[in-house]
Amino acid sequence: MDYRDTVLLPRTSFPMRAELPKREPVLLERWGRDHLYEQILQARSSGPRFILHDGPPFANGNAHLGHALNKTLKDLVLKSRNMMGFFAPYIPGWDCHGLPIEAKVMADLPPEGRDALTIRRKCTAYALRYLGIQREQFERLGIFGDWQRPYRTLDPAYEAEVLLLFADLAEKGLVFEGLRPVFWSTGCHTALAEAEVEYLQRTDPAIDIEFPLLPESCREHGLPEDTRLLIWTTTPWTLPANLAVALHPALPYALYAVGGRHLLVAEARAEVIPGLERAPRVRRFPRGEELCGLRYRHPLLPRTGSVYAADFVTEDSGTGFVHIAPGHGMEDYLLGQEHGLPPLSPVDDDGRFTQECGIPELVGLTVWEGNSRIIALLQAEGLLWSERAYLHDYPHCWRSKTPILFRSVRQWFIRVQSFQPEALRLIDEVEWIPSRARNRIRGAVESRRDWCISRQRSWGIPLPVFYREDGSALLDPEAIRKLARAVARSGTDLWYATDDASLARELGLPSGLRKGTDTLDVWIDSGCSHAAVLAPRGEFPADLYLEGSDQHRGWFQSSLLLSVARSGKAPYRTVLTNGFVLDLDGRKLAKMAGARSLSDFVALYGADTLRLWVASEDYRDDVPFSQEILSRISDTYRLLRNAFRILLANLHDFDVSRHSVAEERFPELDRYMADRLRSLIRTVVDGYRRYEFPTVYHALTRFCSTELSAFYIDVLKDRLYCDAADSTARRASQTLLYRMAESLFRLAAPLIPFTAEEAWQSLGKSASVHLELFPEEEAPRDGASSDRWARILELRTGVNEALEGSRQAKEIGKSLEAEVEIHSPHFLPTDAELLAEVLIVSQVRLFRDEPTAIRVRRASGRQCARCWKYSEEVGKTEPAHPALCPRCTSVVQARRNSA
């Protein structure tokens, strides 16, 4: 007789094949149609607030894997916080002004079409186009947020808030105009912020130069009249701007006789300077301060300079003497200011020497062309001591990739040092994750000089300054506030569209003024987001900022500085940083490196797979990525999906309202697994709470693969398939499986929102899983059982090894063909039935003695044709069913009687 129809095999419509690229857009459309994000906020409206403030990406291209990492991390935070009961909105933002966009637009504009308003119109269209593209790409990842009302730095209301904050800084005297060295991009013709500079390897000439001392200065210091200072530099092109030499006041220096002349160098450097290794030392100066005041003749120009003390001089490299060009370096500039030296910078916007350099053959050459010419001139003068190629990290423009020049240009600055101590104090009140990030931000702020905020570009918020006929600047806070009110109505294009006289009159300023043409640094734009976005919503300061580690010198820092300058408060309570996405060779995967678009990966693997990859990695360090890694993550995804499917399939005939069994009536195995579920819930929710997403990922995958699929479901198969449908043991198992399904789908919802939603709906739920709260965290109900079950699972491992040995010996086939004899002091004969179920064998014989031993033999009796277990009782219950064990006979008869 065929008993297959009497076995309660699992069945479900939840497909094994995910087809994520096909199914996810359908769910995405439904979420939008149902206004799910708004539903979530409404459901949590009475909960405690949690504000994650979005750092705005540039709207200048397709999103890439770096965006996927950061945006997914934010979504993991917010989805999990919402499921903890928090009101956790997400207002996405975009940085729309600045050089990256303008450079793209300018490349396509003819020279005759480059007026400011044309550039700005083109930039607006470009930014909005890519903002729309990126918005679709981020939404496609399953990220919930107010996508129809993002904040955009080009919006008039946002621009107005930036100007209002700027007016406050101007009123406090924190904004000034000055001539000092800045990072200058010859490729983009503008000053740059520190965060817009990247360091790339470059080979430059490193030379040692002799600076002859004036004879009278030698006599004053008791030195031979042929004494020369030996100077080392890797920027020969700055020599025409040399106005002084620096030494360290506390380092020892020495005079050496070599080649018919005398050279002064730091004593510690003599042995490594070519040509000085064996030179006799003539005199030692224990402290460099003895040499301060020496005067020298410029090696190429008819002028003289003096030697000054400076603590930034070291004996780690060079000669112990540093040539000072106050117009070409911040330390040089500050030393020059201390001694009344002008910031001479004889280089134009293109990086070419001007007449001011004083050397006719250099005029019109680029500084890089000038290097070799200067070296030749030094050689002709007999003042070139040595020359060699020098490979070093050198600052480059992040956009044009051209080498940066440190060049003195008249620019506008914020007096950072006026509020720097307060910013440093507030850093220590913020929680930094990982903790090492505190040192990074402290280092960035401690080393920060005054902030250069003016840019020689058209696409940005205009720097609201007017100039009088004599060239002096007028920065009027009240006029800026009036401008902000006008900008709130019309946008900043009005600065360019309104003539000077009309705009000055509208702002209540005197006649005869002309508008400035500079724009504000875009780090001002994004750094004001706390004022433009958080404060108006009553959300200042934010609970969390979460961005890449490069933002310690970018958005984290600009936001902090502007907030402290205006309000004396930090804009955030906690700052979380993620690393970069790297390929297996350690190269950063970003747009500039030609990385593939995010859409390519989503179309191939689906959003849930990418999200699992993000959750699996320790994002606080750099994150590796490759096709092989994503393939392994795909395997993990299939494991989770299969576990979900198994749960659903074994609940096909279970109605939670009619069939549930109280946990007090659970069999022992199910009580143990109920506690394992409680442990999982605590681990996962705590992982979400602490932003430990790899902990969440590993806990869920381990539970689904090891404890659920490989153990619990495997053990339950006999009970689920062969027990009577309404038996207490079977319904108890289904009660727990239903609880597991409800719990696992909710716990996994932040990680794989599409799959969790699909599984939730397959469980018969009408509302979205994302409207749910996480399962309640509970302590174990039977703590004493953990030791017992540790022994049972240890025994199971030993029995499985013994069963495999018997299979290899051809004594048994499947485990149900076995009887296991167990000798152990930890179990009673009454445990035999439980152990037979857990070990998935037909018979267990228990002996409570030592030492522990396991013996496997072929089970006695006959095999039941329905459950496949062996028993001496097969065929002895009912003649009509000679091939069935008593349990199966009872089930089959009851089934037929009810038919």
Side-chain angles (χ1 to χ4, degrees):
M1 187 173 180
D2 190 348
Y3 293 105
R4 283 179 295 184
D5 290 343
T6 71
V7 177
L8 300 170
L9 293 175
R11 63 176 185 269
T12 179
S13 60
F14 186 79
M16 186 59 235
R17 290 194 61 191
E19 297 183 293
L20 293 176
K22 175 182 172 183
R23 296 182 195 278
E24 288 174 341
V26 176
L27 281 171
L28 203 60
E29 183 180 353
R30 189 171 82 197
W31 289 339
R33 190 171 61 248
D34 293 345
H35 303 287
L36 177 57
Y37 172 71
E38 290 76 12
Q39 286 190 58
I40 293 171
L41 293 188
Q42 180 61 37
R44 304 289 182 263
S45 59
S46 60
R49 287 191 163 230
F50 180 89
I51 304 301
L52 182 154
H53 183 42
D54 190 33
F58 277 118
N60 69 324
N62 279 292
H64 53 74
L65 285 173
H67 290 117
L69 173 65
N70 180 255
K71 293 293 185 183
T72 301
L73 286 171
K74 291 173 181 175
D75 196 54
L76 291 176
V77 170
L78 292 171
K79 278 190 169 70
S80 59
R81 281 303 191 274
N82 272 310
M83 296 187 78
M84 292 176 200
F86 286 90
F87 177 81
Y90 178 53
I91 310 299
W94 273 274
D95 207 346
C96 302
H97 292 135
L99 184 57
I101 293 170
E102 187 171 349
K104 293 277 190 181
V105 166
M106 292 289 282
D108 296 330
L109 278 179
E112 64 274 12
R114 294 186 175 184
D115 62 282
L117 280 172
T118 298
I119 293 170
R120 290 173 66 84
R121 281 195 293 268
K122 295 284 187 182
C123 286
T124 299
Y126 184 96
L128 293 179
R129 176 191 168 207
Y130 278 103
L131 187 154
I133 290 171
Q134 289 185 9
R135 176 166 52 199
E136 289 183 8
Q137 291 174 315
F138 296 152
E139 281 191 274
R140 178 63 185 84
L141 284 173
I143 295 167
F144 295 163
D146 198 346
W147 295 108
Q148 301 311 309
R149 291 179 297 177
Y151 78 86
R152 310 180 303 182
T153 61
L154 56 66
D155 285 334
Y158 191 103
E159 294 175 321
E161 290 294 339
V162 174
L163 289 170
L164 289 173
L165 185 146
F166 187 77
D168 289 349
L169 300 191
E171 192 167 61
K172 291 182 176 185
L174 295 176
V175 181
F176 70 97
E177 187 182 28
L179 178 65
R180 56 177 60 190
V182 296
F183 293 112
W184 184 264
S185 169
T186 57
C188 295
H189 282 200
T190 185
L192 297 177
E194 289 181 44
E196 295 169 324
V197 172
E198 62 183 12
Y199 285 80
L200 304 173
Q201 285 203 326
R202 172 184 170 85
T203 300
D204 283 308
I207 59 174
D208 294 306
I209 314 155
E210 299 175 40
F211 278 42
L213 293 179
L214 300 180
E216 58 269 30
S217 187
C218 290
R219 289 192 294 272
E220 289 171 4
H221 287 78
L223 295 168
E225 292 191 7
D226 62 355
T227 299
R228 301 174 178 188
L229 307 174
L230 197 60
I231 307 293
W232 177 74
T233 183
T234 60
T235 54
W237 63 269
T238 60
L239 281 174
N242 171 269
L243 296 179
V245 166
L247 55 68
H248 196 287
L251 292 179
Y253 286 76
L255 182 69
Y256 296 88
V258 58
R261 56 196 182 280
H262 291 82
L263 295 179
L264 271 173
V265 298
E267 186 177 43
R269 299 302 299 167
E271 62 185 22
V272 296
I273 295 172
L276 279 188
E277 307 95 327
R278 298 181 179 82
R281 187 179 72 186
V282 176
R283 185 176 171 186
R284 185 175 187 271
F285 300 87
R287 293 179 63 83
E289 60 190 3
E290 301 175 54
L291 301 173
C292 287
L294 282 172
R295 293 189 58 75
Y296 65 90
R297 172 176 62 82
H298 193 288
L300 297 177
L301 291 164
R303 65 170 179 255
T304 62
S306 296
V307 176
Y308 301 110
D311 289 336
F312 59 76
V313 179
T314 72
E315 58 183 7
D316 298 334
S317 61
T319 66
F321 289 104
V322 175
H323 113 77
I324 299 299
H328 290 298
M330 185 49 67
E331 289 177 328
D332 298 38
Y333 169 81
L334 294 173
L335 186 67
Q337 291 293 291
E338 185 180 339
H339 297 285
L341 303 176
L344 174 63
S345 183
V347 177
D348 66 15
D349 290 357
D350 293 316
R352 296 181 181 277
F353 286 106
T354 65
Q355 293 284 350
E356 200 177 10
C357 76
I359 303 175
E361 51 262 62
L362 293 181
V363 177
L365 297 180
T366 69
V367 296
W368 313 113
E369 295 167 340
N371 272 338
S372 59
R373 186 65 188 135
I374 288 169
I375 291 170
L377 290 171
L378 290 168
Q379 199 158 25
E381 293 288 330
L383 297 176
L384 180 68
W385 176 262
S386 69
E387 176 189 2
R388 55 202 174 276
Y390 183 67
L391 180 65
H392 60 148
D393 289 332
Y394 190 85
H396 286 68
C397 172
W398 68 329
R399 187 51 45 182
S400 66
K401 302 302 179 183
T402 51
I404 290 294
L405 300 185
F406 295 97
R407 170 177 176 250
S408 281
V409 187
R410 188 160 289 281
Q411 300 286 337
W412 286 88
F413 299 86
I414 291 176
R415 300 182 197 276
V416 171
Q417 292 183 327
S418 296
F419 51 88
Q420 195 175 42
E422 182 66 6
L424 290 170
R425 184 186 69 79
L426 289 170
I427 284 171
D428 290 335
E429 294 183 4
V430 174
E431 180 184 12
W432 299 89
I433 304 173
S435 59
R436 63 178 180 270
R438 183 189 308 274
N439 292 333
R440 291 194 63 178
I441 188 72
R442 280 195 68 88
V445 173
E446 279 178 334
S447 63
R448 188 71 186 250
R449 304 295 183 182
D450 291 333
W451 180 357
C452 177
I453 59 170
S454 47
R455 296 292 180 270
Q456 290 64 56
R457 308 303 301 180
S458 299
W459 181 227
I461 297 175
L463 202 159
V465 62
F466 285 83
Y467 292 92
R468 302 178 182 91
E469 291 182 2
D470 64 1
S472 61
L474 175 62
L475 194 68
D476 185 296
E478 281 308 313
I480 297 171
R481 292 186 179 105
K482 289 180 182 178
L483 175 65
R485 289 193 287 272
V487 163
R489 296 188 299 269
S490 308
T492 50
D493 276 358
L494 71 84
W495 181 267
Y496 301 90
T498 311
D499 64 81
D500 295 358
S502 298
L503 187 57
R505 186 168 55 252
E506 184 180 339
L507 299 180
L509 297 174
S511 60
L513 299 175
R514 62 177 175 84
K515 296 174 297 187
T517 58
D518 288 347
T519 57
L520 287 170
D521 177 10
V522 291
W523 291 103
I524 296 278
D525 288 25
S526 59
C528 285
S529 62
H530 64 272
V533 180
L534 294 176
R537 294 170 55 90
E539 296 173 350
F540 175 87
D543 293 291
L544 182 67
Y545 276 34
L546 196 172
E547 302 298 332
S549 56
D550 55 335
Q551 297 308 315
H552 292 106
R553 66 188 189 110
W555 190 57
F556 297 154
Q557 185 182 171
S558 64
S559 300
L560 175 70
L561 294 178
L562 291 173
S563 182
V564 172
R566 187 191 215 187
S567 68
K569 298 178 181 178
Y572 36 65
R573 295 186 177 94
T574 300
V575 175
L576 187 62
T577 56
N578 61 264
F580 295 116
V581 180
L582 306 179
D583 65 17
L584 295 183
D585 295 321
R587 293 172 300 198
K588 181 180 173 184
L589 292 174
K591 292 195 299 289
M592 294 297 289
R596 291 173 64 182
S597 165
L598 172 59
S599 299
D600 294 341
F601 293 102
V602 174
L604 189 60
Y605 292 98
D608 274 359
T609 306
L610 283 175
R611 294 175 67 99
L612 266 188
W613 161 68
V614 171
S616 72
E617 298 288 348
D618 184 355
Y619 60 87
R620 294 164 297 189
D621 294 319
D622 289 336
V623 175
F625 180 86
S626 68
Q627 298 287 359
E628 293 78 13
I629 290 173
L630 214 54
S631 293
R632 289 200 296 272
I633 294 296
S634 296
D635 292 340
T636 301
Y637 171 81
R638 283 189 286 272
L639 180 153
L640 290 173
R641 187 177 183 90
N642 185 55
F644 290 3
R645 188 170 185 270
I646 289 171
L647 286 170
L648 292 166
N650 283 294
L651 293 169
H652 64 91
D653 65 339
F654 180 77
D655 183 332
V656 66
S657 64
R658 294 191 301 117
H659 299 141
S660 293
V661 174
E663 188 169 330
E664 293 74 18
R665 299 174 61 201
F666 280 10
E668 183 180 352
L669 167 65
D670 306 86
R671 292 198 302 276
Y672 165 70
M673 288 305 298
D675 268 350
R676 296 305 303 148
L677 177 62
R678 279 187 275 269
S679 175
L680 173 73
I681 292 167
R682 290 196 308 278
T683 299
V684 169
V685 175
D686 187 59
Y688 280 126
R689 186 180 293 116
R690 294 184 296 109
Y691 313 120
E692 296 283 355
F693 305 123
T695 297
V696 173
Y697 167 86
H698 289 295
L700 284 172
T701 54
R702 184 170 55 248
F703 184 87
C704 287
S705 64
T706 304
E707 299 198 65
L708 178 62
S709 298
F711 174 61
Y712 188 50
I713 292 293
D714 201 30
V715 169
L716 283 187
K717 285 178 182 176
D718 177 73
R719 194 192 303 179
L720 291 170
Y721 301 172
C722 299
D723 270 13
D726 286 327
S727 73
T728 300
R730 183 172 184 273
R731 291 306 190 194
S733 297
Q734 288 183 306
T735 300
L736 182 56
L737 291 177
Y738 187 88
R739 190 188 302 173
M740 286 180 170
E742 278 196 321
S743 299
L744 286 171
F745 301 166
R746 285 181 285 168
L747 293 173
L751 266 61
I752 45 175
F754 295 99
T755 304
E757 184 76 292
E758 184 187 0
W760 188 254
Q761 303 300 319
S762 295
L763 196 58
K765 306 289 188 176
S766 56
S768 171
V769 69
H770 301 292
L771 291 168
E772 296 292 319
L773 295 173
F774 281 139
E776 186 177 349
E777 296 175 85
E778 296 181 285
R781 294 192 181 181
D782 187 4
S785 72
S786 59
D787 290 341
R788 170 172 166 80
W789 276 93
R791 293 191 183 98
I792 291 174
L793 295 177
E794 183 181 5
L795 175 66
R796 188 171 190 260
T797 300
V799 168
N800 284 339
E801 291 174 358
L803 289 171
E804 183 58 32
S806 294
R807 284 193 197 95
Q808 296 292 331
K810 307 296 184 183
E811 296 169 356
I812 62 168
K814 298 184 181 299
S815 63
L816 286 177
E817 296 176 14
E819 173 189 277
V820 178
E821 180 181 309
I822 299 169
H823 295 259
S824 170
H826 303 301
F827 302 104
L828 299 171
T830 53
D831 291 325
E833 183 178 351
L834 170 65
L835 293 179
E837 181 180 39
V838 170
L839 302 175
I840 315 178
V841 296
S842 289
Q843 295 145 16
V844 166
R845 297 176 65 200
L846 267 174
F847 298 89
R848 194 175 191 191
D849 55 19
E850 294 189 80
T852 298
I854 299 169
R855 295 186 180 90
V856 175
R857 62 176 64 89
R858 192 166 186 84
S860 60
R862 295 165 54 204
Q863 186 180 44
C864 174
R866 183 170 177 271
C867 69
W868 297 355
K869 286 185 177 181
Y870 283 77
S871 171
E872 298 283 357
E873 303 300 316
V874 170
K876 295 183 178 179
T877 308
E878 174 57 55
H881 302 290
L884 297 186
C885 66
R887 186 266 310 260
C888 288
T889 300
S890 173
V891 171
V892 170
Q893 284 184 324
R895 179 185 175 93
R896 295 203 171 163
N897 290 339
S898 64

